[in-house]
């Protein structure tokens, strides 16, 4: 009993505990591998006062299950069979988190998911544009490098686009890099990760970690592990899923950052957002340092000037890959 109570206390301390504002969070894809643990973590966040869960099936069961957790937030679950189910989940939402879509299987890249997930994100983004256009959109569905441009184009078409409110959640890359480096240093640390959210577009900035010394071989191996850490999980699960639990944690962490900013805290995060940082290279989206406030993005910060030559080269290599993914997402909306 005491261990369980202590675990609940630890979970609660993972999030800010100041008096909450009225904050409804909607989770679209709430019955899936990411959606269920994500919804669970959001239920334990004292800043969340209401959860609206939506998926094509099983969502009422998820809502009933986590609804028994002893926190103050109210939980409702809707499916595609419910009349106006998606609308009800979205009404009044401050944040909308979208983990909906199919997961990766062994041998698949995130880009292999495009044909299925692109349509899902487009349709859900359309519903958000109609029902809660001022909500902050947190997109987890892969490939993020394309799904964020898809959501952006949908909001533009609807005439409600606000670049400050649409985020690609790349926090898992930061969480992974921080864990891998933390193992080496023997302490909890935080490693900035910029670029995108697929393979070589994932750029960990080890040069920004105080006290970290790596040989070239160690740096190369650690960079590769961060870039392809998802493959590690997919292989270990042997076809039974992808990185769902760690992604849920990363998504809940980013949602909490936005809720803290909504409450007036100064918050620095990393996210895949619309930016002019690489405008001269023809690139509109990049994951970088972002200051948050109650409106979403307060300020987009440039990359640190003292990143290493190795990291600068990683950025150069990532840009054409990011441009291809961006163009693919934009073209999908214009042709569908």
């Amino acid at each position: 009993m005491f261990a369980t109570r202590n675990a609940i206390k630890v979970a609660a301390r993972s999030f800010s505990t100041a008096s909450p504002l009225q904050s409804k969070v909607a989770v679209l894809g709430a019955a899936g591998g990411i959606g269920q643990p994500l919804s669970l973590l959001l239920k334990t966040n004292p800043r969340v006062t209401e959860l609206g869960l939506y998926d094509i099936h099983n969502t009422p069961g998820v809502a009933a299950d986590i609804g028994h957790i002893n926190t103050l937030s109210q939980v409702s679950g809707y499916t595609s069979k419910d009349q106006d189910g998606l609308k009800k989940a979205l009404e009044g939402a401050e944040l909308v988190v979208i983990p909906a879509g199919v997961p990766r299987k062994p041998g698949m890249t995130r880009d292999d998911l495009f044909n299925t997930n692109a349509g899902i994100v487009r349709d859900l983004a359309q519903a958000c544009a109609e029902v809660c256009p001022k909500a902050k959109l947190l997109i987890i569905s892969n490939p993020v490098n394309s799904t964020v441009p898809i959501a952006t184009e949908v909001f533009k078409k609807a005439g409600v686009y606000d670049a400050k409110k649409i985020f690609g959640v790349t926090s898992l890359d930061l969480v992974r890099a921080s864990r891998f480096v933390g193992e080496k240093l023997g302490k909890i640390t935080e490693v900035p990760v910029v670029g995108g959210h697929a393979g070589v577009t994932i750029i960990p900035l080890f040069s920004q970690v105080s006290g970290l010394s790596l040989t070239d071989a160690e740096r190369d191996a650690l960079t590769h592990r961060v870039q392809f850490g998802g493959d590690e999980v997919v292989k270990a699960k042997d076809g039974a899923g992808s990185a769902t639990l760690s992604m849920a944690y990363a998504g809940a962490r980013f949602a909490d950052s936005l809720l803290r900013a909504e409450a007036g805290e100064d918050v620095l995060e990393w996210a895949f957002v619309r930016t002019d940082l690489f405008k001269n290279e023809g690139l509109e989206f990049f994951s970088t340092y972002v200051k948050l406030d109650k409106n979403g993005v307060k300020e987009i910060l440039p990359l640190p000037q003292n990143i290493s030559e190795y990291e600068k080269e990683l950025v150069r290599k990532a840009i054409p890959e990011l441009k291809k993914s961006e163009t693919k997402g934009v073209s999908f909306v214009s042709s569908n």
Side-chain angles (χ1 to χ4, degrees):
M1 176 185 292
F2 295 108
T4 302
R5 285 179 178 173
N6 286 337
I8 292 172
K9 289 178 182 178
V10 169
R13 282 198 299 269
S14 297
F15 302 108
S16 180
T17 56
S19 298
L21 301 171
Q22 292 299 309
S23 299
K24 178 178 178 178
V25 179
V27 181
L28 309 185
I34 297 171
Q36 289 199 42
L38 173 61
S39 299
L40 169 66
L41 290 170
L42 291 171
K43 182 66 171 76
T44 68
N45 188 328
R47 288 201 180 276
V48 177
T49 56
E50 184 179 354
L51 276 173
L53 309 183
Y54 177 82
D55 212 322
I56 56 175
H57 52 64
N58 295 339
T59 332
V62 176
D65 197 353
I66 68 170
H68 290 181
I69 294 171
N70 188 23
T71 58
L72 294 177
S73 52
Q74 301 298 312
V75 187
S76 300
Y78 306 95
T79 72
S80 56
K81 295 180 180 178
D82 296 321
Q83 184 175 1
D84 295 328
L86 180 53
K87 181 180 179 181
K88 291 174 182 176
L90 291 173
E91 283 177 334
E94 298 283 340
L95 268 61
V96 179
V97 192
I98 305 181
V102 296
R104 280 200 296 161
K105 296 180 179 179
M108 293 178 69
T109 66
R110 290 181 179 89
D111 207 47
D112 291 332
L113 303 175
F114 182 90
N115 290 338
T116 299
N117 289 356
I120 293 172
V121 171
R122 176 201 58 204
D123 294 346
L124 294 176
Q126 182 63 49
C128 293
E130 293 172 0
V131 179
C132 53
K134 294 184 179 181
K136 300 172 187 74
L137 216 60
L138 286 65
I139 299 173
I140 292 173
S141 308
N142 278 313
V144 165
N145 295 354
S146 294
T147 53
V148 171
I150 286 171
T152 295
E153 292 303 305
V154 168
F155 270 64
K156 284 181 179 178
K157 279 190 170 184
V160 294
Y161 176 58
D162 184 346
K164 299 190 298 292
K165 296 182 182 293
I166 298 181
F167 303 87
V169 181
T170 58
S171 306
L172 179 53
D173 303 319
L174 185 144
V175 167
R176 281 191 180 124
S178 300
R179 172 57 182 160
F180 300 159
V181 169
E183 285 182 300
K184 183 175 179 60
L185 295 178
K187 63 180 182 179
I188 294 175
T189 188
E190 190 159 275
V191 180
V193 180
V194 300
H197 186 55
V200 298
T201 70
I202 299 169
I203 305 165
L205 301 181
F206 298 127
S207 66
Q208 305 303 299
V209 182
S210 178
L212 178 63
S213 179
L214 299 171
T215 66
D216 288 355
E218 288 174 329
R219 176 202 63 198
D220 292 349
L222 201 53
T223 297
H224 186 273
R225 190 182 181 200
V226 173
Q227 290 178 331
F228 298 96
D231 296 350
E232 202 176 294
V233 178
V234 170
K235 182 178 179 181
K237 289 191 175 182
D238 196 23
S242 57
T244 53
L245 302 177
S246 52
M247 184 65 248
Y249 167 80
R253 165 193 155 136
F254 189 77
D256 185 61
S257 290
L258 284 168
L259 292 170
R260 286 164 46 216
E262 176 76 24
E265 289 188 36
D266 292 325
V267 180
L268 177 67
E269 264 289 359
W270 292 262
F272 190 69
V273 293
R274 167 69 178 81
T275 173
D276 289 331
L277 289 180
F278 294 94
K279 184 178 180 180
N280 291 341
E281 289 83 356
L283 186 65
E284 291 193 25
F285 296 90
F286 195 83
S287 183
T288 189
Y289 296 69
V290 178
K291 285 185 179 180
L292 303 174
D293 66 10
K294 64 180 182 180
N295 297 312
V297 175
K298 178 182 180 181
E299 184 181 359
I300 295 173
L301 304 179
L303 300 184
Q305 292 185 351
N306 63 338
I307 65 173
S308 68
E309 288 301 319
Y310 176 80
E311 290 161 352
K312 290 177 182 177
E313 181 60 23
L314 291 179
V315 172
R316 284 191 285 269
K317 289 180 178 178
I319 287 174
E321 295 300 318
L322 288 166
K323 286 174 68 175
K324 284 193 294 185
S325 297
E326 179 183 308
T327 299
K328 191 172 184 179
V330 172
S331 298
F332 176 81
V333 177
S334 64
S335 60
N336 289 274

